[in-house]
Each structure stands twice: as structure tokens, then as C-alpha cells.
Amino acid sequence: MPRSLDPRPTSPVRIQADWRRIGRAARRVALIAGAVPLVAGAAVMVTDKIRGQRYPLDSKFPTAPPTSTDIDGTTATLYTYGADLYDAMLEAIDHAQHTVFLESYIWKGDQTGERFKQAIADAVARGVEVYVIYDAFANLVVPRSFFHFPPQVHVLRFPALRAGLLTLNVRRSGRDHRKILVVDEETAFVGGYNIGEEYATKWRDTHLRLQGRAAWELQNAFVDFWNRWRSAKHPVLQDKGAAHWQPSLRAARNAPSDLVFPIRGLYLDAIDRATSHVYITQAYFIPDRDILQALLAAAARGVDVRVLVPERSNHSLADWLARGRYTKLLRGGVRIMLYEGAMVHAKTATIDGRWSTVGTANIDRLSLTGNYEINLEIVDNGLASTLEEVFRMDESNSRELTYDEWTERSPLTKIAERILEPLEPLL
């Protein structure tokens, strides 16, 4: 007769062993699932680095001379070429009589970096109070000795390692991505330009100089950041308040450690108001769901929405993640212009010939929720007109990506885009 089935229940020991096996298997699957996009991302970056060495982004590109606009008593000057900007910044430092506040995300130890370092040394030698902020992580490749200034210079090194780095918490690991110069409380600069030889002539970027009362906007931003992050060895900077309110020109400052993110709201509000056109120039364009929907809604109501980005940037992974938005954007009527032959690093937008922004923030998760950033919001027809001319100039060095061209990309490219999607929270 056949043996009867054993009616006894499975032992607790066996059940525990089975669950341990299931747990180990689940961990292996999770590890593999997490490793695949990381390995793919590394492969993309290595491949693009090799490609970048063979085909460097060093083509010449159109630029415009510095152009000034009066905004309620403040002269706003737009710069589109690094060499012009650096000359103006160094001239301002050379003529400083009282104070110099300089904050830079990247400060290269090359010839251009040395020019700024010497200007700082000369300023303190003639009695000017100089305060410098730089991001340690962004300058890891720069010798630490480069940032040895005369002892009279007050230097704040934003730390390379922050608490949220190991847990990938962007709000507690983001960088000081701002680029600010304020001289004598009267002249101030802000925009996308870091300090370095390459940026002087090989990158297309945009910076704005303010001369007059609105320079307070950038001075106040520097003072607040300094006092927030200074150590006991650093002096406290006095917040003097604003003698003049200028609602047509305001600074929006992201402070992630304090959960303050006005720049994202600035974009959303302006895009929602658009009735004619939206022109956006971005180095790294990875909009979140709300900004993406705002752009699509604007296009759906007949607004001419154009986004100008580098065809190939200096951060290949950002390029791949940005392309994950292209299908929806193109299908929804948003026009994508690809800047050719050089790196466009500007962070600007202008809407309906009235509203504009120039600053340091990219439209991506890292800038809008992780980094310390600053953008000027300007409501002025004159500056908007100038930025529209700059946008058309950049379009002359771009080609339009069509929906038909995009849908015909290779199946392998589409697969790579899907594999890399999990890396999006990092950017």
C-alpha cells in the first residue's frame, strides 16, 4: 500500500530556514536591481568621457557684448561671454574701497583663478575687508594650498562631507552651488559662471551685474549664508536691512537645510501666467512632474514653449536622464533646441516679454531641492527683451529636435534610458 502523507505540521525551525532563504534571495534580487542602473550609469559616463576626448566641446559660438538696462534706478548688465564678465568682476574688485564678498561653487587653480586670487590679495593689502566662500567638494581636484589667502582674508570652506551623503538625502548633502560677487554694497554679480580658464572662452553662460540699490539682494544673500555656516573663528556679518524695496527685482534663495525652496515656485508661478511665449535655457534640464505639467499646459493653451539645452553637456548622465522627458515634451508641443559644439551652462528664462530669471539653479531635483542656489526674478520689459535676443542668438547655434526624429532613435537607446531611470533621484 502506498505510504500515507505525513500529517504532522512543518517544524518552526524549517519555517525559519525557508524564510531565511527567501530573504537572502530577495536581497540578491534587490542588490542586482540596484546595481544594474549604477553599472549602466558608470558605463555611460566612461563611454561619453572617451567620446568627449575625441570630440571636445570646443567649437566657437556666438556671443553678445554686455548689454545694460535700467530697472528702477539699478543698472542691470547682462554678460554672455566669460572673458567679458571676468574683466568686469576683476575691475570691480580692483576698485573696491570697503568690502568684497566673493562666493563661488568652482574656483579653478589656473591662470584665471590666480588672477582673482591676486585681486583679492591686492584688495586686503589696501585695507579692504574681504570675505570668501567656496565649496570644498566641487574643488576637490584643486590643491588645498590654492585656497591659502593672506591672513586678513576671511575664508569659509563649505564642507565636502555632509550628514546626508551616505543616505542620499539631497537636502542634507547638497552643495553651495551659488556664484556671487558683491563689492562695496553697490555692485553685485550673479549667474552661472564659475571661475576658471575654460569658462572664460569655451562655455556659453549668462551672468548679471547689478549696480545700484538692488545690489542689496545679493549682499543680503551672502550675509545670511555666511552667518548660517560660519564657525566660531569667523566674524559675524551685520545684516543692515534694505533701505529701498524693489519688487521688480528680487532674489529667490534655496536653503535646503531650512526647507526653503522658492526658486521652484518662482518657475511654476511664471509659467502658469504665460500667454505668449516661454523661453528657457538650461544646462541640465530634468523637470519634476509639476514643472513638466506646467510646460505642457502652457503649450496646450497655445503658448510658444521652447527649451534650449546642450546637445551634449559635460555631465553625460544628466543628458540621459533629461531625455527621459523628451517624449512627453515633444508630443505635448514643447520645442526642444539642442545647442551644438559647445557647452551651454546658462540658467535663464524669459516669459511674455515681461518676466525673466537669471541665476545659479538648474531645473533638476538637485538644484531645486538639494543645493543652496540663488536666482534673480526680474519683471522688466527691457531685460526681457535683451534675454529674448540672447535666446535667439543661442538658437542660431542650435538645431531643433523633432518628435519624428526622437521616436526613431535606436531600441538600444530606449532600453538604456529605462535602465538609467532609477538614478534620477541623484540628480
Side-chain angles (χ1 to χ4, degrees), residues 28-285:
R28 290 194 198 99
V29 171
L31 184 62
I32 293 171
V36 167
L38 290 173
V39 172
V44 163
M45 289 188 286
V46 170
T47 301
D48 278 17
K49 184 174 180 61
I50 295 171
R51 181 188 176 196
Q53 291 172 344
R54 294 183 61 186
Y55 307 102
L57 295 170
D58 58 0
S59 299
K60 291 187 176 181
F61 50 87
T63 62
T67 305
S68 297
T69 304
D70 181 78
I71 305 174
D72 191 20
T74 292
T75 301
T77 303
L78 199 71
Y79 293 88
T80 63
Y81 190 56
D84 293 337
L85 170 69
Y86 293 156
D87 286 345
M89 293 174 70
L90 289 166
E91 181 181 13
I93 297 171
D94 289 343
H95 287 86
Q97 298 180 11
H98 307 293
T99 56
V100 171
F101 299 155
L102 177 58
E103 181 176 358
S104 187
Y105 176 60
I106 295 174
W107 188 340
K108 297 286 191 182
D110 54 22
Q111 184 176 352
T112 293
E114 290 286 357
R115 289 175 64 197
F116 276 85
K117 189 176 178 181
Q118 185 60 53
I120 291 298
D122 293 343
V124 293
R126 61 178 185 269
V128 177
E129 286 284 325
V130 178
Y131 297 79
V132 169
I133 303 172
Y134 72 95
D135 188 277
F137 183 83
N139 293 283
L140 285 175
V141 297
V142 180
R144 185 75 178 269
S145 60
F146 175 78
F147 293 101
H148 291 169
F149 295 92
Q152 303 96 321
V153 179
H154 307 289
V155 181
L156 193 161
R157 181 176 180 267
F158 193 71
L161 298 177
R162 299 189 60 210
L165 188 61
L166 294 178
T167 59
L168 301 180
N169 183 339
V170 294
R171 291 178 180 173
R172 301 183 65 199
S173 63
R175 311 312 315 163
D176 175 20
H177 194 240
R178 310 189 317 174
K179 300 94 177 171
I180 296 173
L181 170 65
V182 184
V183 176
D184 289 345
E185 304 181 7
E186 286 292 323
T187 301
F189 298 79
V190 71
Y193 277 103
N194 294 290
I195 297 174
E197 196 73 15
E198 182 179 18
Y199 315 126
T201 58
K202 295 181 179 180
W203 284 34
R204 229 306 280 137
D205 213 330
T206 300
H207 232 72
L208 194 66
R209 179 182 67 187
L210 304 179
Q211 292 176 294
R213 296 174 296 192
W216 177 88
E217 297 285 338
L218 300 177
Q219 175 178 308
N220 181 249
F222 185 98
V223 168
D224 286 351
F225 186 89
W226 178 276
N227 289 337
R228 169 67 172 80
W229 288 98
R230 72 179 187 86
S231 65
K233 69 178 182 180
H234 296 114
V236 176
L237 285 173
Q238 296 302 313
D239 185 352
K240 299 180 180 180
H244 174 74
W245 288 49
Q246 198 159 344
S248 59
L249 200 164
R250 301 285 297 276
R253 297 177 279 163
N254 279 7
S257 297
D258 302 317
L259 300 179
V260 176
F261 309 105
I263 298 176
R264 180 175 177 273
L266 175 155
Y267 270 105
L268 286 170
D269 180 70
I271 294 168
D272 283 348
R273 294 174 185 270
T275 60
S276 172
H277 56 271
V278 174
Y279 299 156
I280 295 174
T281 302
Q282 284 285 303
Y284 319 110
F285 182 69

Side-chain angles (χ1 to χ4, degrees), residues 35-45 47-48 316-325 406 409-424:
V36 167
L38 290 173
V39 172
V44 163
M45 289 188 286
T47 301
D48 278 17
S316 57
L317 186 55
D319 295 344
W320 279 88
L321 294 176
R323 292 167 192 152
R325 305 293 193 276
W406 180 244
R409 67 197 188 283
S410 72
L412 186 60
T413 298
K414 296 177 183 178
I415 293 171
E417 291 164 5
R418 294 297 298 271
I419 291 174
L420 293 170
E421 275 183 10
L423 299 181
E424 185 179 306

Side-chain angles (χ1 to χ4, degrees), residues 271 274 278 293-305 329 332-335:
I271 294 168
V278 174
Q293 290 303 318
L295 292 171
L296 293 173
R301 63 177 180 266
V303 176
D304 178 12
V305 181
L329 288 167
V334 175
R335 299 175 65 185

